[in-house]
């Protein structure tokens, strides 16, 4: 089994989709919050603040850093090297890939990250409606599990699932239980609060290792630290 990104079986991840000027004050409030184990940063902070600067702030607060390029691994395979070098220079702990462009790119980008000890979290189905062909979208329904199946072959054990689609979370859990083994992988899920997902419901469906990715509900709150703590307690309480 691959090394865990965070030690906790269940946790809250802050999706810090904020302006660069707001990042330092936000992170300063979140050090030591029980149940909040990682911060997810994206391109706005990477471009506007500097990814290495953002990573240092998060590490100083005692949290892990997950980089989400929205959506990485959709270019040609060769640029996986450039992406992995950037992640390594910035010292991120993990990076999220959504490999919609096929297995050649998925394999190259995954391996380039792994060779630099950057953990890979693979996503497939997203939280918004009409992504599946059966629902009027562009992506064939079978493609999502094919992406996950290749990720498993590549020794990825962390997967993004849509937290606001509980039926899909349950289905993916069954797939991963069969292909990897229950308790041998972690599910990471966005789609809560503003997108309609319920952390408690999804946490129960997702199994023993689950990390809820929450953005606006924390950074848009009057008291982000208290909100992060409350959400952390909620998810820790569901760990029994």
């Amino acid at each position: 089994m691959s090394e865990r990104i965070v030690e906790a079986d269940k946790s809250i991840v802050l999706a810090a989709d904020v302006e660069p000027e707001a990042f330092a004050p936000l992170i300063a409030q979140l050090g030591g919050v029980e149940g909040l184990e990682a911060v997810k940063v994206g391109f706005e902070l990477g471009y506007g603040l500097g990814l290495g600067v953002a990573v240092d702030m998060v590490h100083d607060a005692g949290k892990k850093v997950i980089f989400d390029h929205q959506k990485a691994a959709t270019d040609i395979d060769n640029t996986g090297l450039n992406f992995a070098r950037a992640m390594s220079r910035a010292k991120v702990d993990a990076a999220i890939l959504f490999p919609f462009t096929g297995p050649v790119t998925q394999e190259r980008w995954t391996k380039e990250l792994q060779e630099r000890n950057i953990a890979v979290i693979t996503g497939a189905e997203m939280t918004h409606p009409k992504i599946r062909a059966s629902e009027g979208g562009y992506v064939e329904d079978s493609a999502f599990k094919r992406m996950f199946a290749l990720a498993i072959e590549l020794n990825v054990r962390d997967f993004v699932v849509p937290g606001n689609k509980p039926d899909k979370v349950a289905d993916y859990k069954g797939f991963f239980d069969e292909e990897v083994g229950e308790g041998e992988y972690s599910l990471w899920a966005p789609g809560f609060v503003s997108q309609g997902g319920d952390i408690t419901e999804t946490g129960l469906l997702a199994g023993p290792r689950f990390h809820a990715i929450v953005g606006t509900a924390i950074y848009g709150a009057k008291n982000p630290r208290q909100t992060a703590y409350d959400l952390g307690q909620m998810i820790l309480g569901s760990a029994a």
Side-chain angles (χ1 to χ4, degrees), residues 20-228:
E21 296 78 10
F23 188 64
L26 175 64
I27 297 303
Q29 298 181 61
L30 299 177
V33 173
E34 184 183 20
L36 177 65
E37 298 291 336
V39 176
K40 184 173 76 73
V41 301
F43 61 81
E44 185 173 13
L45 289 173
Y47 297 154
L49 185 63
L51 185 55
V53 174
V55 169
D56 286 346
M57 289 181 185
V58 176
H59 283 167
D60 287 347
K63 310 299 180 185
K64 295 296 182 70
V65 180
I66 299 167
F67 183 73
D68 184 4
H69 196 64
Q70 291 109 359
K71 296 291 185 262
T74 57
D75 199 356
I76 63 171
D77 60 316
N78 288 344
T79 53
L81 172 61
N82 307 79
F83 183 77
R85 285 193 304 226
M87 297 300 99
S88 181
R89 287 193 187 100
K91 298 184 172 65
V92 305
D93 300 292
I96 295 174
L97 304 182
F98 272 77
F100 289 118
T101 50
V104 174
T105 287
Q106 180 176 359
E107 182 171 356
R108 177 73 182 278
W109 282 55
T110 299
K111 287 183 175 180
E112 292 288 2
L113 289 166
Q114 291 172 333
E115 287 175 7
R116 290 161 179 80
N117 297 314
I118 307 296
V120 176
I121 306 174
T122 299
E125 184 166 1
M126 295 167 65
T127 57
H128 60 269
K130 292 191 176 182
I131 185 170
R132 287 177 168 250
S134 63
E135 299 169 350
Y138 299 139
V139 184
E140 290 298 326
D141 292 29
S142 64
F144 303 116
K145 286 183 180 176
R146 290 172 60 200
M147 293 180 213
F148 284 142
L150 178 55
I152 292 167
E153 288 182 24
L154 295 169
N155 201 38
V156 174
R157 295 295 181 267
D158 294 271
F159 309 98
V160 180
V161 292
N164 60 344
K165 300 177 182 180
D167 58 326
K168 300 300 191 301
V169 173
D171 181 52
Y172 288 127
K173 180 184 183 297
F175 173 78
F176 292 125
D177 283 351
E178 183 174 339
E179 298 296 324
V180 182
E182 187 173 14
E184 298 298 313
Y185 61 90
S186 296
L187 296 185
W188 305 71
F192 300 107
V193 189
S194 63
Q195 292 189 69
D198 181 273
I199 289 174
T200 301
E201 178 185 15
T202 301
L204 291 172
L205 293 170
R209 290 170 56 181
F210 169 65
H211 307 282
I213 301 171
V214 182
T216 308
I218 295 176
Y219 65 73
K222 290 183 179 180
N223 188 333
R225 182 179 181 85
Q226 184 63 51
T227 301

